[in-house]
Amino acid sequence: MEKEYSDQIAALLAPPSPQSIQEYYKSLNESGKCDGICVRDNGKHGKAVFASRDFKEEELILKDRMLVGAQHTSNKVDCLVCSYCFRFIGSIEAQIGRRLYLQSLGICGDKACDKEHQTKEKMECDLPSKEMIESLLNGDLVLPFTDRFALPEVVSCPAGCEEEKYCSQSCADADWEAYHSLVCTNSNNKQSLTLLKFIEHANETNDIFIVAAKAIAFTILRYRKLKKSQVKDKGKGLLGKMDNANFSLLLEAWKPISMGFKQRWWECISLPDDVDPSEELQFRTEIRDLASTSLELLKDAIFDIECAPLFSLDVYGSIIGMFELNNLDLVVASPIEDYFIYIDELPDKEKEEALLTIQTFVDALGDDYSVPCQGTAFFPIQSCMNHSCSPNAKAFKRDQDIDGHAIIIALRPISTGEEITLSYIDEDVPYDERQAMLADYGFTCACPRCLEERPS
């Protein structure tokens, strides 16, 4: 495949032209997705985000909807969220009951409970009774004051698969149209068994493969929509092959993904601390082989001859590398934390009465009672924000931010025309430590602060 489609693969992985960049981000601006900011070349690092109006300190700069993202597999044990917007769903009781039920089965957020430190007998002793857990799950037991923390009801996948749940029918429909219709594992789908093999491999190795698969599904579905529109308008179209006309449509469908900076995953991934530098070549070869295995499983499930170049190892590795280099962690705070804080701040008598009901569950959940939703996502505008060790903005979720959008807040007043920057690392460390951490991103920082602190 790499040789047969070498020209198309090269075109997919080529950096987008300045005109393409301008047109794409102009369309986002006109749709209202980035009001008050613009994306253009900064003359140093390529794409950058600039203020097109003044921002005050702590003012919201951007609420960026992810292009593609996924909850970490291990995190699904702790958090039941909408598979499209990543908002918590169900009820406080259901969230607590679900965690305790899975815990009773020995399933924890780290994939397996630590048997050395927590025996089955101790787990069972610490947990509420089976009947109490079931009463939380089926709604028979209502905890005090949870009506103040109402969550959206759970909506199932349109095709009935068990893997994906939603906060609304609109989110279910949007996910189906954008990604899920191609990667749904419902029993009526003839590809479900091969998809399950792909997902199982990703869960056992690296769930970043699931996000990469969603990126490919997103592109294929966009291509099919463009193709359908062209056939409808022109009354003709060549199906079942990759020709120049079809590839032009594929490039257009690929455009949102093309905007992300890319390197092959096995080339850009940081060398783990436990891998000796002398073994680096072997490590990177193993990573490449892991990606190759994942890709073959994905091809067995969703391969489309008209989109064949998407299934090259170079493209797949570059998509994964894009997430490695450009992602902002997907984080959504748990409403369980807000609920327990509310109980803790009640007047003494009300608090005492509430604790009579909930203390058993608080003790069973332990210190990790408020695990947030966590995952990996690619945000089209946030990913264009460059690093500075003296940033003027930060990624920060406010109390009202209850879904998976990236939220960017001004750290200080920002003037019209000023570049908006973030810190990719903990900037409150010495120069040498900052540069060492930024090496993982593939660059040496030359921001004003680093130029001032750099040893002569």
Short mmCIF file of all heavy atoms in Angstrom, two decimals, residues 289-325:
data_model
loop_
_atom_site.label_atom_id
_atom_site.label_comp_id
_atom_site.label_asym_id
_atom_site.label_seq_id
_atom_site.Cartn_x
_atom_site.Cartn_y
_atom_site.Cartn_z
N ASP A 289 6.02 -1.34 15.41
CA ASP A 289 5.37 -2.64 15.21
C ASP A 289 4.01 -2.68 15.92
O ASP A 289 3.05 -3.27 15.41
CB ASP A 289 6.26 -3.77 15.74
CG ASP A 289 7.52 -3.96 14.89
OD1 ASP A 289 7.56 -3.44 13.76
OD2 ASP A 289 8.46 -4.61 15.38
N LEU A 290 3.93 -2.04 17.08
CA LEU A 290 2.67 -1.99 17.82
C LEU A 290 1.61 -1.23 17.01
O LEU A 290 0.46 -1.67 16.91
CB LEU A 290 2.90 -1.30 19.17
CG LEU A 290 1.76 -1.35 20.19
CD1 LEU A 290 1.51 -2.78 20.65
CD2 LEU A 290 2.10 -0.47 21.39
N ALA A 291 2.01 -0.11 16.43
CA ALA A 291 1.10 0.65 15.59
C ALA A 291 0.69 -0.15 14.35
O ALA A 291 -0.47 -0.10 13.92
CB ALA A 291 1.74 1.97 15.17
N SER A 292 1.61 -0.89 13.78
CA SER A 292 1.32 -1.69 12.60
C SER A 292 0.28 -2.77 12.91
O SER A 292 -0.64 -3.00 12.13
CB SER A 292 2.61 -2.33 12.08
OG SER A 292 2.36 -3.14 10.95
N THR A 293 0.43 -3.41 14.05
CA THR A 293 -0.55 -4.43 14.46
C THR A 293 -1.93 -3.81 14.64
O THR A 293 -2.94 -4.36 14.18
CB THR A 293 -0.10 -5.10 15.77
OG1 THR A 293 1.16 -5.73 15.58
CG2 THR A 293 -1.12 -6.13 16.24
N SER A 294 -1.96 -2.67 15.30
CA SER A 294 -3.24 -1.97 15.51
C SER A 294 -3.88 -1.60 14.18
O SER A 294 -5.09 -1.79 13.98
CB SER A 294 -3.01 -0.71 16.35
OG SER A 294 -4.18 0.07 16.42
N LEU A 295 -3.09 -1.09 13.25
CA LEU A 295 -3.61 -0.68 11.95
C LEU A 295 -4.20 -1.85 11.17
O LEU A 295 -5.25 -1.73 10.53
CB LEU A 295 -2.50 0.00 11.13
CG LEU A 295 -2.88 0.42 9.71
CD1 LEU A 295 -4.02 1.44 9.74
CD2 LEU A 295 -1.66 1.00 8.99
N GLU A 296 -3.52 -2.99 11.21
CA GLU A 296 -4.04 -4.17 10.49
C GLU A 296 -5.40 -4.59 11.04
O GLU A 296 -6.30 -4.97 10.29
CB GLU A 296 -3.03 -5.32 10.58
CG GLU A 296 -1.76 -5.10 9.77
CD GLU A 296 -2.05 -4.80 8.31
OE1 GLU A 296 -2.86 -5.54 7.70
OE2 GLU A 296 -1.48 -3.84 7.77
N LEU A 297 -5.56 -4.51 12.36
CA LEU A 297 -6.85 -4.84 12.97
C LEU A 297 -7.92 -3.84 12.55
O LEU A 297 -9.07 -4.22 12.28
CB LEU A 297 -6.72 -4.87 14.49
CG LEU A 297 -5.86 -6.00 15.07
CD1 LEU A 297 -5.60 -5.76 16.56
CD2 LEU A 297 -6.55 -7.35 14.88
N LEU A 298 -7.53 -2.55 12.47
CA LEU A 298 -8.49 -1.53 12.06
C LEU A 298 -8.87 -1.70 10.59
O LEU A 298 -10.05 -1.55 10.22
CB LEU A 298 -7.90 -0.14 12.29
CG LEU A 298 -8.82 1.05 12.00
CD1 LEU A 298 -10.02 1.03 12.93
CD2 LEU A 298 -8.06 2.37 12.13
N LYS A 299 -7.90 -2.04 9.75
CA LYS A 299 -8.18 -2.26 8.33
C LYS A 299 -9.17 -3.41 8.14
O LYS A 299 -10.06 -3.35 7.29
CB LYS A 299 -6.88 -2.54 7.57
CG LYS A 299 -6.02 -1.31 7.33
CD LYS A 299 -4.62 -1.67 6.87
CE LYS A 299 -4.62 -2.33 5.51
NZ LYS A 299 -3.22 -2.58 5.05
N ASP A 300 -8.99 -4.46 8.93
CA ASP A 300 -9.92 -5.59 8.83
C ASP A 300 -11.35 -5.17 9.13
O ASP A 300 -12.31 -5.77 8.62
CB ASP A 300 -9.51 -6.69 9.82
CG ASP A 300 -8.26 -7.43 9.39
OD1 ASP A 300 -7.88 -7.30 8.21
OD2 ASP A 300 -7.65 -8.10 10.24
N ALA A 301 -11.50 -4.10 9.94
CA ALA A 301 -12.82 -3.70 10.39
C ALA A 301 -13.48 -2.65 9.50
O ALA A 301 -14.66 -2.76 9.18
CB ALA A 301 -12.74 -3.18 11.82
N ILE A 302 -12.73 -1.63 9.06
CA ILE A 302 -13.40 -0.50 8.40
C ILE A 302 -12.73 -0.06 7.10
O ILE A 302 -13.00 1.04 6.61
CB ILE A 302 -13.51 0.72 9.36
CG1 ILE A 302 -12.12 1.29 9.69
CG2 ILE A 302 -14.26 0.37 10.63
CD1 ILE A 302 -12.18 2.66 10.39
N PHE A 303 -11.88 -0.87 6.52
CA PHE A 303 -11.17 -0.46 5.30
C PHE A 303 -12.14 -0.05 4.20
O PHE A 303 -13.15 -0.71 3.95
CB PHE A 303 -10.26 -1.57 4.80
CG PHE A 303 -9.47 -1.20 3.58
CD1 PHE A 303 -8.36 -0.37 3.68
CD2 PHE A 303 -9.84 -1.66 2.33
CE1 PHE A 303 -7.63 -0.02 2.55
CE2 PHE A 303 -9.12 -1.32 1.19
CZ PHE A 303 -8.01 -0.50 1.30
N ASP A 304 -11.81 1.05 3.52
CA ASP A 304 -12.60 1.56 2.40
C ASP A 304 -11.63 1.83 1.25
O ASP A 304 -10.73 2.66 1.39
CB ASP A 304 -13.32 2.85 2.82
CG ASP A 304 -14.24 3.41 1.73
OD1 ASP A 304 -13.95 3.19 0.55
OD2 ASP A 304 -15.22 4.08 2.07
N ILE A 305 -11.78 1.15 0.14
CA ILE A 305 -10.84 1.27 -0.97
C ILE A 305 -10.76 2.70 -1.48
O ILE A 305 -9.70 3.16 -1.94
CB ILE A 305 -11.22 0.30 -2.12
CG1 ILE A 305 -10.13 0.30 -3.20
CG2 ILE A 305 -12.57 0.65 -2.69
CD1 ILE A 305 -8.78 -0.16 -2.75
N GLU A 306 -11.86 3.45 -1.41
CA GLU A 306 -11.84 4.83 -1.89
C GLU A 306 -11.03 5.74 -0.97
O GLU A 306 -10.67 6.85 -1.36
CB GLU A 306 -13.27 5.36 -2.04
CG GLU A 306 -14.06 4.67 -3.13
CD GLU A 306 -15.44 5.29 -3.31
OE1 GLU A 306 -15.55 6.53 -3.28
OE2 GLU A 306 -16.40 4.53 -3.48
N CYS A 307 -10.77 5.27 0.24
CA CYS A 307 -9.99 6.06 1.21
C CYS A 307 -8.72 5.30 1.61
O CYS A 307 -8.18 5.50 2.70
CB CYS A 307 -10.84 6.35 2.45
SG CYS A 307 -12.35 7.26 2.12
N ALA A 308 -8.24 4.46 0.70
CA ALA A 308 -7.13 3.55 1.00
C ALA A 308 -5.90 4.24 1.56
O ALA A 308 -5.26 3.71 2.49
CB ALA A 308 -6.77 2.75 -0.25
N PRO A 309 -5.48 5.44 1.07
CA PRO A 309 -4.27 6.06 1.61
C PRO A 309 -4.33 6.35 3.11
O PRO A 309 -3.29 6.43 3.76
CB PRO A 309 -4.15 7.36 0.80
CG PRO A 309 -4.87 7.07 -0.48
CD PRO A 309 -6.01 6.19 -0.10
N LEU A 310 -5.54 6.50 3.65
CA LEU A 310 -5.67 6.74 5.10
C LEU A 310 -5.16 5.56 5.91
O LEU A 310 -4.81 5.72 7.09
CB LEU A 310 -7.14 6.99 5.48
CG LEU A 310 -7.81 8.26 4.96
CD1 LEU A 310 -9.26 8.28 5.39
CD2 LEU A 310 -7.08 9.50 5.46
N PHE A 311 -5.11 4.37 5.29
CA PHE A 311 -4.74 3.16 6.02
C PHE A 311 -3.27 2.79 5.83
O PHE A 311 -2.88 1.64 6.08
CB PHE A 311 -5.65 2.01 5.60
CG PHE A 311 -7.08 2.21 6.02
CD1 PHE A 311 -7.98 2.87 5.19
CD2 PHE A 311 -7.53 1.77 7.26
CE1 PHE A 311 -9.29 3.08 5.58
CE2 PHE A 311 -8.84 1.97 7.66
CZ PHE A 311 -9.72 2.63 6.82
N SER A 312 -2.47 3.74 5.38
CA SER A 312 -1.03 3.49 5.33
C SER A 312 -0.45 3.66 6.72
O SER A 312 -0.98 4.42 7.55
CB SER A 312 -0.35 4.47 4.36
OG SER A 312 -0.18 5.73 4.97
N LEU A 313 0.63 2.97 7.01
CA LEU A 313 1.24 3.05 8.33
C LEU A 313 1.79 4.44 8.60
O LEU A 313 1.72 4.94 9.73
CB LEU A 313 2.36 2.00 8.46
CG LEU A 313 3.02 1.90 9.84
CD1 LEU A 313 1.98 1.62 10.93
CD2 LEU A 313 4.10 0.82 9.84
N ASP A 314 2.29 5.11 7.56
CA ASP A 314 2.81 6.47 7.75
C ASP A 314 1.69 7.43 8.18
O ASP A 314 1.89 8.28 9.06
CB ASP A 314 3.46 6.98 6.46
CG ASP A 314 4.92 6.60 6.37
OD1 ASP A 314 5.43 5.96 7.32
OD2 ASP A 314 5.56 6.92 5.35
N VAL A 315 0.53 7.31 7.55
CA VAL A 315 -0.59 8.19 7.91
C VAL A 315 -1.08 7.86 9.31
O VAL A 315 -1.31 8.75 10.13
CB VAL A 315 -1.73 8.07 6.87
CG1 VAL A 315 -2.99 8.78 7.37
CG2 VAL A 315 -1.29 8.65 5.54
N TYR A 316 -1.25 6.58 9.59
CA TYR A 316 -1.72 6.16 10.93
C TYR A 316 -0.75 6.61 12.01
O TYR A 316 -1.15 7.18 13.04
CB TYR A 316 -1.88 4.64 10.95
CG TYR A 316 -2.62 4.08 12.13
CD1 TYR A 316 -3.95 4.44 12.38
CD2 TYR A 316 -2.03 3.14 12.99
CE1 TYR A 316 -4.66 3.90 13.44
CE2 TYR A 316 -2.73 2.59 14.05
CZ TYR A 316 -4.03 2.98 14.28
OH TYR A 316 -4.73 2.43 15.34
N GLY A 317 0.54 6.39 11.77
CA GLY A 317 1.54 6.82 12.75
C GLY A 317 1.59 8.32 12.92
O GLY A 317 1.81 8.83 14.02
N SER A 318 1.33 9.05 11.84
CA SER A 318 1.34 10.51 11.91
C SER A 318 0.11 11.05 12.65
O SER A 318 0.20 12.06 13.35
CB SER A 318 1.41 11.11 10.50
OG SER A 318 2.63 10.75 9.87
N ILE A 319 -1.02 10.37 12.51
CA ILE A 319 -2.21 10.77 13.27
C ILE A 319 -1.96 10.57 14.77
O ILE A 319 -2.24 11.45 15.59
CB ILE A 319 -3.44 9.95 12.83
CG1 ILE A 319 -3.85 10.32 11.40
CG2 ILE A 319 -4.61 10.18 13.78
CD1 ILE A 319 -4.94 9.42 10.83
N ILE A 320 -1.39 9.43 15.13
CA ILE A 320 -1.09 9.18 16.54
C ILE A 320 -0.07 10.20 17.04
O ILE A 320 -0.19 10.75 18.14
CB ILE A 320 -0.56 7.75 16.74
CG1 ILE A 320 -1.60 6.73 16.27
CG2 ILE A 320 -0.22 7.50 18.20
CD1 ILE A 320 -1.09 5.31 16.20
N GLY A 321 0.95 10.48 16.21
CA GLY A 321 1.94 11.48 16.58
C GLY A 321 1.33 12.86 16.76
O GLY A 321 1.77 13.64 17.62
N MET A 322 0.31 13.17 15.96
CA MET A 322 -0.38 14.45 16.11
C MET A 322 -0.99 14.57 17.49
O MET A 322 -0.90 15.62 18.15
CB MET A 322 -1.47 14.58 15.04
CG MET A 322 -2.27 15.87 15.11
SD MET A 322 -3.64 15.93 13.93
CE MET A 322 -4.83 14.85 14.74
N PHE A 323 -1.62 13.50 17.97
CA PHE A 323 -2.18 13.52 19.32
C PHE A 323 -1.08 13.62 20.37
O PHE A 323 -1.24 14.30 21.38
CB PHE A 323 -3.03 12.28 19.56
CG PHE A 323 -4.35 12.32 18.86
CD1 PHE A 323 -4.61 11.51 17.77
CD2 PHE A 323 -5.35 13.19 19.27
CE1 PHE A 323 -5.81 11.54 17.11
CE2 PHE A 323 -6.57 13.23 18.61
CZ PHE A 323 -6.80 12.41 17.53
N GLU A 324 0.02 12.97 20.12
CA GLU A 324 1.14 13.01 21.07
C GLU A 324 1.68 14.43 21.20
O GLU A 324 2.03 14.88 22.30
CB GLU A 324 2.25 12.08 20.58
CG GLU A 324 3.36 11.84 21.56
CD GLU A 324 3.00 10.82 22.63
OE1 GLU A 324 2.14 9.96 22.38
OE2 GLU A 324 3.60 10.89 23.71
N LEU A 325 1.71 15.17 20.09
CA LEU A 325 2.35 16.49 20.09
C LEU A 325 1.37 17.64 20.31
O LEU A 325 1.78 18.71 20.77
CB LEU A 325 3.06 16.71 18.75
CG LEU A 325 4.25 15.80 18.46
CD1 LEU A 325 4.65 15.90 17.00
CD2 LEU A 325 5.43 16.15 19.36
#
